[in-house]
Amino acid sequence: MIVNSLWYIPQLAVADVTSLGHFNPLAIAFFFLFVASSLGITYWAAKLTKSTSHFYTAGGNISGFQNGLALAGDFMSAASFLGIAGLVALNGFDGLIYSIGFLVGWPIVMFLIAEPLRNLGKYTFADVVAYRLQQKPVRIAAAIGTLAVISFYLIAQMVGAGELIKLLFGFDYELAVVIVGGVMMAYVIFGGMIATTWVQIIKAVLLLGGTILLSILVLAKFGFNPLNLFAAAADKYSGVLAPGKQVSDPWDAISLGMSLMFGTAGLPHILMRFYTVPDAKAARISVTYATALIGFFYLLTFILGFGAMVLVGQDAIKQIGTGGNMAAPMLAEFLGGDAFLGFIAAVSFATILAVVAGLTLSGAAALSHDLWVNVVRGGHANESEQLKVARGATMLLGALAIILGILFKGQNVAYMVGLAFAIAASANFPALLLSMLWRRFTTYGAVASMLVGTFSALILIYFSPTIQVAILNHPNALFPLKNPGLVTIPLAFIVGIVVSLLSSETQAEEKFAEVENRIHIGSEN
Amino acid sequence: MDDRKKALQSIAAARWRVSLLLSGAMMVIYFGFILLIAFNKPLLGSLILPGLSLGILLGALVIVSAWVLIFLYVRWANNKYDNRINNLTRE
């Protein structure tokens, strides 16, 4: 009872948001410290990056534990930290659907994808799908799907980055987006996967550390009992502990759930990380660590989100940005002042940079390894040419990221990532799974599944209330669901299966035995 | 040679059986949770303790269940699967 009476005091305090968006020297110092040290890593990595295998997969020399941390770093994006904290702060329980959905994809990755992928492929997931099928059409279709996923995922990261830097330095959103794009390109172009991996490991440690510290500071105000916090939230805003208006349509909830669960297993930058470890066993260890860390992190987002709701207040959060993306930094400012805001902002920035770098690297691999080397050059291109094309592709994608970030200003970042997951779950996951599991899968089936998955997801997103009502201000939308996964994931599976059954490919069936052998035994035998 | 092929096929079948079973378990747990959100919001909003709604408790348990399933898989893979593969490649 004594404990219970303690947490009433801070509720009366109102967050002071006046210092946000103004010059904050401590924040800027942390920010530069991070950028400088990570550029140092890039300089070191650049000297090690001599071949395409170093550039794309760090030479396959990352250990299982390191890769687990890097996977966690790759996955705990701006959407997880800024977006989910914001969604929970503004909508309560509804935001938690995202936290939980993002995590439950990991067991699927572990059980179905990680080890076979490691044993079958080299640089991209298209290596696996194309293994026993015809290279060119499969790789073109896979690259289209990959680039669609990456574009949507990049939007979310860039929007988060822009708002964050604007909040920290007080200068223009657009300029902020350009800076993020520039620094990220430097990492990828010069340091490749080695630099990207280490930036991700450092960032994962900082992010987990920062989140734990922030959670402890929140819980300290509530007698170290999360239930006191949740109760205070329910007192201040009614109905926040139950599902609410964000998921008003039951089918929308199911659709979002499907996209989140199967999307993880189709994200190109996550799949690519499995090639950085030496063998399937190391891939297994990586997913175990990644799931443990990410799950723990998402449990803490419960505390961050409700903490921001109670301590900062929904009105103050909305005042800074309608998407709610700045809830966590504002909470840090409220609890620990300028220094802590600076630290959390630098960590968020590190988060965004690392994820954008990972995404760009996987996009560059699709453009250069899949499209240039295997389609244009028919598998024959020397090392220096491949590296040149990969670096060129990186610059192209960096420019694309900057443009998209500016176009989609003001969106909630967790929500945008939900759409990226829908495309990944429809475009990549069905073809990847069928190619490893099903003897009768054919080139036509794979291409049809990937293209139908990608374009049906894109078209339905365009006709969904997200674009039609929220952005174009039309009174209603042609397609009723906000997330297309419910329709597009089964559609991609059905199309892949039906088209495969209609066509037949003797060579693909004969080579299935080889696929089976490699899935289990790996490349050395 | 034929024996080896058969052994590999039986390992492959066992692996996909375990993988699909565990994936199915994760799907049942998660979609069970989602279906409750979709069709029975008041139930999830009901309070078990002050401050703890059924929805929040179940949500946390979904995360814990993902850990448990991964633990089961890793134990199976480390003990059974790896051994069978090792036996096969040693021959």
Side-chain angles (χ1 to χ4, degrees):
Chain A
M1 283 322 275
I2 300 163
V3 167
N4 271 343
S5 62
L6 282 174
W7 51 264
Y8 276 104
I9 305 147
Q11 249 187 285
L12 303 170
V14 173
D16 171 30
V17 292
T18 47
S19 71
L20 294 167
H22 296 280
F23 188 72
N24 175 346
L26 262 170
I28 293 165
F30 277 119
F31 169 83
F32 277 114
L33 186 72
F34 175 77
V35 172
S37 53
S38 54
L39 285 175
I41 293 168
T42 308
Y43 176 74
W44 160 76
K47 289 194 284 189
L48 299 175
T49 305
K50 295 196 181 77
S51 65
T52 40
S53 140
H54 286 125
F55 187 79
Y56 292 133
T57 64
N61 280 325
I62 305 292
S63 79
F65 175 65
Q66 289 168 344
N67 195 46
L69 268 174
L71 272 171
D74 232 334
F75 194 71
M76 296 184 296
S77 68
S80 304
F81 183 60
L82 301 175
I84 291 179
L87 278 177
V88 175
L90 295 184
N91 304 297
F93 181 87
D94 290 353
L96 297 179
I97 298 172
Y98 281 87
S99 313
I100 296 159
F102 282 142
L103 184 82
V104 293
W106 282 95
I108 304 294
V109 171
M110 172 70 121
F111 305 148
L112 299 176
I113 308 279
E115 296 173 40
L117 187 84
R118 162 64 270 181
N119 279 335
L120 272 172
K122 201 173 168 204
Y123 298 142
T124 65
F125 89 93
D127 292 341
V128 176
V129 184
Y131 191 86
R132 64 192 166 104
L133 305 176
Q134 290 167 43
Q135 299 289 320
K136 285 188 186 180
V138 170
R139 286 188 190 272
I140 292 172
I144 292 172
T146 297
L147 293 174
V149 175
I150 288 174
S151 307
F152 269 82
Y153 217 110
L154 277 174
I155 293 171
Q157 309 307 317
M158 298 306 274
V159 169
E163 287 188 25
L164 193 72
I165 298 209
K166 188 180 152 203
L167 182 86
L168 259 184
F169 292 81
F171 54 53
D172 275 358
Y173 174 89
E174 284 77 12
L175 184 58
V177 169
V178 172
I179 293 174
V180 178
V183 179
M184 172 279 292
M185 273 194 261
Y187 292 164
V188 178
I189 291 174
F190 300 110
M193 188 52 116
I194 303 173
T196 305
T197 301
W198 282 103
V199 168
Q200 265 147 2
I201 290 175
I202 293 169
K203 164 251 153 134
V205 173
L206 284 176
L207 183 61
L208 279 166
T211 309
I212 292 169
L213 194 59
L214 197 50
S215 306
I216 291 173
L217 289 176
V218 170
L219 288 177
K221 302 252 177 199
F222 296 92
F224 288 100
N225 183 350
L227 300 189
N228 289 344
L229 166 63
F230 299 153
D235 274 355
K236 195 168 175 183
Y237 302 97
S238 68
V240 291
L241 300 183
K245 56 183 185 318
Q246 194 76 1
V247 281
S248 47
D249 180 357
W251 297 108
D252 233 347
I254 297 168
S255 191
L256 174 67
M258 282 178 73
S259 295
L260 295 181
M261 185 169 211
F262 300 116
T264 312
L267 291 176
H269 64 303
I270 297 294
L271 298 176
M272 190 176 179
R273 286 228 65 90
F274 292 114
Y275 301 127
T276 64
V277 292
D279 53 34
K281 183 142 180 153
R284 188 186 304 154
I285 296 167
S286 345
V287 188
T288 311
Y289 281 113
T291 312
L293 294 170
I294 295 168
F296 177 63
F297 173 82
Y298 283 143
L299 286 174
L300 294 181
T301 58
F302 289 33
I303 292 164
L304 294 193
F306 282 110
M309 181 194 284
V310 176
L311 297 172
V312 182
Q314 295 187 340
D315 293 339
I317 295 169
K318 280 188 207 151
Q319 216 178 305
I320 294 291
T322 45
N325 298 328
M326 291 302 115
M330 289 172 83
L331 180 66
E333 206 245 352
F334 176 78
L335 290 168
D338 272 1
F340 201 44
L341 169 66
F343 176 70
I344 290 293
V347 168
S348 319
F349 185 74
T351 293
I352 291 167
L353 269 179
V355 174
V356 171
L359 280 167
T360 308
L361 193 56
S362 66
L367 284 172
S368 130
H369 174 66
D370 289 332
L371 286 186
W372 181 261
V373 177
N374 281 299
V375 175
V376 179
R377 291 292 196 166
H380 306 288
N382 66 34
E383 285 280 314
S384 70
E385 180 187 323
Q386 289 189 36
L387 272 176
K388 229 178 266 166
V389 174
R391 288 180 169 140
T394 306
M395 298 216 301
L396 210 74
L397 287 163
L400 178 77
I402 292 170
I403 294 168
L404 290 175
I406 291 170
L407 281 179
F408 283 81
K409 187 175 172 176
Q411 295 293 312
N412 177 287
V413 296
Y415 182 64
M416 290 307 288
V417 164
L419 296 180
F421 271 62
I423 306 171
S426 323
N428 300 343
F429 174 67
L432 184 58
L433 190 66
L434 289 173
S435 71
M436 296 191 297
L437 256 176
W438 193 35
R439 186 182 301 273
R440 280 279 282 116
F441 201 43
T442 67
T443 303
Y444 289 125
V447 171
S449 169
M450 288 190 280
L451 291 182
V452 168
T454 309
F455 288 107
S456 64
L458 288 174
I459 291 167
L460 290 186
I461 288 171
Y462 180 76
F463 286 112
S464 74
T466 313
I467 302 280
Q468 296 296 318
V469 180
I471 293 178
L472 299 177
N473 293 321
H474 293 167
N476 46 37
L478 213 60
F479 180 68
L481 301 176
K482 286 193 234 164
N483 191 301
L486 180 67
V487 176
T488 55
I489 300 166
L491 185 68
F493 269 111
I494 293 168
V495 166
I497 291 169
V498 169
V499 173
S500 292
L501 288 174
L502 291 176
S503 52
S504 93
E505 202 170 342
T506 344
Q507 205 199 346
E509 277 189 59
E510 280 164 3
K511 273 187 89 178
F512 188 73
E514 198 182 317
V515 167
E516 215 165 37
N517 196 49
R518 279 214 33 184
I519 281 180
H520 299 283
I521 292 171
S523 50
E524 61 271 29
N525 284 281
Chain B
M1 203 50 204
D2 247 0
D3 274 356
R4 189 178 188 278
K5 209 172 163 185
K6 259 189 199 146
L8 185 73
Q9 269 172 358
S10 109
I11 295 174
R15 195 210 123 91
W16 287 119
R17 207 164 42 236
V18 170
S19 298
L20 291 172
L21 190 80
L22 289 171
S23 303
M26 190 71 251
M27 283 184 225
V28 168
I29 292 169
Y30 179 58
F31 287 114
F33 177 66
I34 291 289
L35 286 172
L36 280 178
I37 291 174
F39 293 106
N40 201 343
K41 292 193 177 76
L43 177 72
L44 287 185
S46 57
L47 292 182
I48 304 170
L49 292 166
L52 184 67
S53 66
L54 184 65
I56 289 188
L57 177 70
L58 289 180
L61 285 178
V62 172
I63 292 183
V64 173
S65 76
W67 285 336
V68 172
L69 290 175
I70 289 224
F71 170 78
L72 291 175
Y73 173 80
V74 170
R75 231 179 55 156
W76 171 82
N78 285 347
N79 295 335
K80 299 259 169 63
Y81 176 73
D82 285 354
N83 281 343
R84 287 183 72 180
I85 293 290
N86 283 340
N87 288 337
L88 192 73
T89 47
R90 222 177 285 133
E91 276 159 21

